[in-house]
Amino acid sequence: MQRCPGPLPGRHHVRRHNGRVCIRGRTPPDQAVLFSTRTVAITADALRITTFSVLVYAATSSALLSALAFGIGFIPQLFGSLLLGSLADQLPPRALITGGYALQCTAALLLALVRMPIAASLGVVALVALATPVFHGASSRLVAQSLEGDAYVLGRSLNNIASSGAQLFGLALGGAAVAVLGPHRALAVSAALYLGCALAVRIGLPRLELGEFGGTPGSARGDGGAVRASLHGAGLLLRGRTVRRLMLAQWLPSAFVAGAEGLIVAYAGGRHFAPGWYAVLMGCLPVGMLVGDLLVGRLLRPPTRERLVVPLIALMGLPLVGFAAEPGVGVSSCLLLLCGFGFAYGLGLQRPFLDALPQNGQGQAFGLLGSGNMTLQGVGPACFGSVAAGIGTGGAIALAGGAAALTAGWILTWHPPTTPVPVPNYSTGSENSTEQHACSSPAQ
């Protein structure tokens, strides 16, 4: 594991005592602010995304447009990361994170207060998504540089657990808010949550200069601008085979599952489930994710987590194949719970991925990882929504699950179960022994 340059407050170490995981060290106020505001923002995201998807489906009765509304906030993020991602390493993090939440607040207010055509509403969400990788990258960089060793993986596990709980609360809040207030006022509630996050970061996060968290001030201007620097940095990351494979391993399974998730509203409507059951079905995924991250992160050691990457990805996809039989609410809920549990596979990839990154580009790397993930999760609902128009929502969900299971087979051909990934040499564009580790057979 690489160590952060220079002393950083709140350094954490991990140990195990009688099989129990302990993270030693104090939690600085800035980490508490980042953690709490991100949790609230995920609640607002779940509320906004599901409410907007329901609003579009009610207005159009189109499974394709409903799925597109679900994923439109994800699709443009990859372009934002490629064009603006280097700013996460070049601008003060407090200004970036505060501005990001304020921008999301503005978009939610526009959707709530201005009665726009469907195309214009989709455009507003897409424009905001372009800036999302920048402030998410800055936030992830701060977290990664405050945790060491397996503490980083366990910190990500804790963050995933909190995210799953926040998604559940957002879905429950969304269902209640739509029923009581209507969809437009429910969107106003999400805007208020984003505003609270922006104010909390502005007040609670200290002003950090770039040198205090490893940034590279002025490098974009010296290389010809932020866009050129972003494209150059993204090219260096994606040309490395190990980093590229680890990114794809984190992108593809969740993209296929998101394609299935984007069809849940239409599936519940087509099967004539009682009003509100769509929220129950959508809530099963984060419940499974919460349980999976809790058990895998809490009980298993790092080598075991890394060995279980492929089986857990298969567990994500195979239950969704059961939707080909168009099951009822009870069976559908169980299948989605199992699918959500499989998301814990990502914990086995966190340490190799962090080890493979250059320290002066971690912010952009995390932004690219997150934006690629979000973009493909947006493309998934659009693609499988088109498929659903031809074969039905149940068949399209099953197809998405089969694609996720096939991804597990591809990862099995190169993923080393326990071998740490050496740091690649980005100055020469080569990865030396990293290639050998990445291509070694899991049987070894």
Side-chain angles (χ1 to χ4, degrees):
M1 173 66 69
Q2 298 178 4
R3 299 182 65 90
C4 301
L8 288 174
R11 183 78 70 187
H12 292 72
H13 303 277
V14 64
R15 63 182 176 88
R16 290 180 179 264
H17 177 67
N18 294 331
R20 302 180 64 182
V21 177
C22 303
I23 298 179
R24 297 183 295 179
R26 63 187 179 89
T27 301
D30 56 337
Q31 296 298 318
V33 169
L34 289 173
F35 179 80
S36 59
T37 54
R38 187 66 198 130
T39 302
V40 173
I42 290 172
T43 300
D45 289 341
L47 171 59
R48 177 184 58 81
I49 291 171
T50 55
T51 302
F52 187 43
S53 180
V54 169
L55 187 65
V56 170
Y57 186 74
T60 65
S61 299
S62 170
L64 173 59
L65 288 177
S66 176
L68 185 60
F70 183 88
I72 192 63
F74 306 148
I75 296 173
Q77 290 194 28
L78 181 59
F79 300 99
S81 179
L82 291 175
L83 298 177
L84 304 173
S86 66
L87 296 177
D89 296 304
Q90 297 160 1
L91 296 178
R94 186 177 70 175
L96 284 177
I97 300 170
T98 302
Y101 287 140
L103 194 61
Q104 290 180 315
C105 172
T106 302
L109 279 178
L110 284 175
L111 296 175
L113 303 178
V114 181
R115 303 301 173 95
M116 296 178 287
I118 297 298
S121 299
L122 294 173
V124 168
V125 178
L127 286 175
V128 174
L130 286 173
T132 300
V134 178
F135 68 90
H136 278 183
S139 177
S140 297
R141 182 186 180 95
L142 287 177
V143 173
Q145 293 191 335
S146 297
L147 299 176
E148 284 186 331
D150 199 41
Y152 171 72
V153 180
L154 297 177
R156 289 298 299 266
S157 174
L158 177 62
N159 181 72
N160 292 343
I161 292 170
S163 298
S164 300
Q167 288 181 41
L168 285 172
F169 182 70
L171 290 171
L173 181 62
V178 170
V180 176
L181 303 175
H184 291 282
R185 291 180 180 175
L187 288 169
V189 173
S190 70
L193 294 176
Y194 287 128
L195 178 60
C197 292
L199 293 176
V201 171
R202 180 63 181 84
I203 296 171
L205 191 66
R207 178 179 174 82
L208 298 175
E209 298 300 330
L210 293 175
E212 296 181 64
F213 76 110
T216 54
S219 62
R221 292 184 295 272
D223 291 338
V227 172
R228 181 176 297 180
S230 299
L231 291 172
H232 177 71
L236 288 178
L237 289 168
L238 294 176
R239 280 197 296 270
R241 184 165 62 173
T242 299
V243 174
R244 184 175 65 249
R245 281 176 164 176
L246 289 170
M247 282 191 173
L248 286 172
Q250 296 174 80
W251 287 346
L252 294 179
S254 58
F256 293 129
V257 173
E261 185 182 12
L263 293 170
I264 289 177
V265 172
Y267 180 80
R271 295 279 290 148
H272 304 291
F273 293 159
W277 274 109
Y278 78 90
V280 175
L281 292 178
M282 295 187 72
C284 289
L285 276 174
V287 167
M289 292 167 62
L290 188 152
V291 175
D293 278 296
L294 182 63
L295 295 180
V296 173
R298 171 77 171 172
L299 301 179
L300 302 182
R301 295 179 177 272
T304 306
R305 290 197 295 262
E306 294 171 16
R307 282 196 297 268
L308 288 177
V309 166
V310 171
L312 287 172
I313 293 176
L315 182 61
M316 287 176 65
L318 292 178
L320 297 179
V321 177
F323 277 87
E326 297 192 347
V329 172
V331 175
S332 298
S333 300
C334 294
L335 295 176
L336 291 171
L337 283 170
L338 289 173
C339 174
F341 188 95
F343 271 90
Y345 87 93
L347 297 178
L349 298 176
Q350 296 299 322
R351 185 172 63 170
F353 180 72
L354 183 61
D355 286 346
L357 298 179
Q359 289 216 352
N360 61 353
Q362 285 184 353
Q364 183 173 9
F366 285 121
L368 182 60
L369 175 66
S371 62
N373 197 17
M374 294 296 100
T375 298
L376 290 177
Q377 288 186 41
V379 171
C383 292
F384 288 100
S386 301
V387 173
I391 66 174
T393 53
I397 292 174
L399 186 63
L406 288 176
T407 305
W410 168 69
I411 295 174
L412 184 63
T413 64
W414 58 263
H415 175 62
T418 58
T419 304
V421 179
V423 179
N425 184 358
Y426 283 93
S427 61
T428 62
S430 64
E431 295 179 74
N432 300 328
S433 59
T434 302
E435 299 289 353
Q436 299 177 0
H437 286 296
C439 299
S440 60
S441 169
Q444 293 176 352

